[in-house]
Amino acid sequence: EHAFVQDAAHEIRTPMAVITAQAHVMVHTQSAQERLVAQQHLDQAIARASHLAQQLLDLAALDEANRPQPRTIDVAQWLRQLLAQAAPGAMVRHIELSLEAPDSMVLTLEVSALESIVQNLLDNALRYVQEGGMVTVTLRSEREGLSLSLQDDGPGIAPEEQARVFERFYRGAGHEVTGSGLGLAIVQQAVLRLGGRVHIGPGLAGRGVGFTVQLF
């Protein structure tokens, strides 16, 4: 817990420093171009800080002993709605986002934990896959549960890094995309909370990466 707090403080400090520096530039510069660049950097830092704060809250909620009551939902229809919300962002980067799922799959589970799993896997895929890439979500029924897979044809994860990707604040090398390093840690914690398991597998077309979540 002590190490987690230290890491969280360090992660928050970085965007806060950027916000302070760029706000100073905007106040004191006489150049319209410098002010515009500072505004862009400021917006990016605010978005990063907001995203990090939300992920820290999500992780803290999953660590809580008190759980919300399970609800009975049609997971297939719920998943279609979630992907429909993500579709506009995918279209901006010409990413093909598809879903393979049965017409209906009614289960009783902790919906907020399942939402954390899907949102973070989807967010990671849409962040790292290249423009014009593919992201496929597959939902299948299993005995007394479900199997949910998300695959992409992005840069993938090096084999030597795969064992560490679920660690809190761990970010692999060689990526230009910024992130908090908490997305997959949240996924793992949510899967454990639901009594399931998650593992890494192949991506699409011989590229990328896939994550499969099994809930029983």
Side-chain angles (χ1 to χ4, degrees), residues 54 74 80 85 97 115 119 135 137:
Q54 185 58 56
D74 187 326
R80 287 186 180 93
Q85 295 171 12
L97 178 59
E115 185 171 8
Q119 290 281 26
V135 177
V137 181

Side-chain angles (χ1 to χ4, degrees), residues 16 22 46 53 57 76 100 107 115 124 135 137 153 164-165 175 213:
M16 291 300 103
Q22 299 308 319
I46 290 172
L57 289 171
E100 298 175 11
L107 291 172
E115 185 171 8
N124 264 16
V135 177
V137 181
D153 64 346
R164 298 194 60 194
V165 294
H175 296 302
V213 173

Side-chain angles (χ1 to χ4, degrees), residues 134-197:
M134 295 185 296
V135 177
T136 298
V137 181
T138 304
L139 177 67
R140 293 191 178 92
S141 179
E142 292 196 346
R143 255 187 298 176
E144 300 181 2
L146 63 83
S147 173
L148 176 69
S149 298
L150 192 147
Q151 297 168 288
D152 64 54
D153 64 346
I157 301 173
E160 62 272 16
E161 293 184 344
Q162 291 185 5
R164 298 194 60 194
V165 294
F166 295 106
E167 295 178 12
R168 297 178 179 187
F169 300 109
Y170 179 77
R171 288 193 291 268
H175 296 302
E176 295 180 0
V177 180
T178 59
S180 66
L182 286 174
L184 292 178
I186 291 173
V187 169
Q188 185 180 56
Q189 190 66 18
V191 170
L192 292 174
R193 187 177 178 110
L194 293 173
R197 61 189 180 195

Side-chain angles (χ1 to χ4, degrees), residues 24 31 33 52-53 62 70-71 112 115 145 157 188 207 212:
H24 180 83
S31 167
Q33 180 61 32
L52 175 60
L62 290 168
R71 291 193 289 124
S112 58
E115 185 171 8
I157 301 173
Q188 185 180 56
R207 299 187 55 186
T212 298

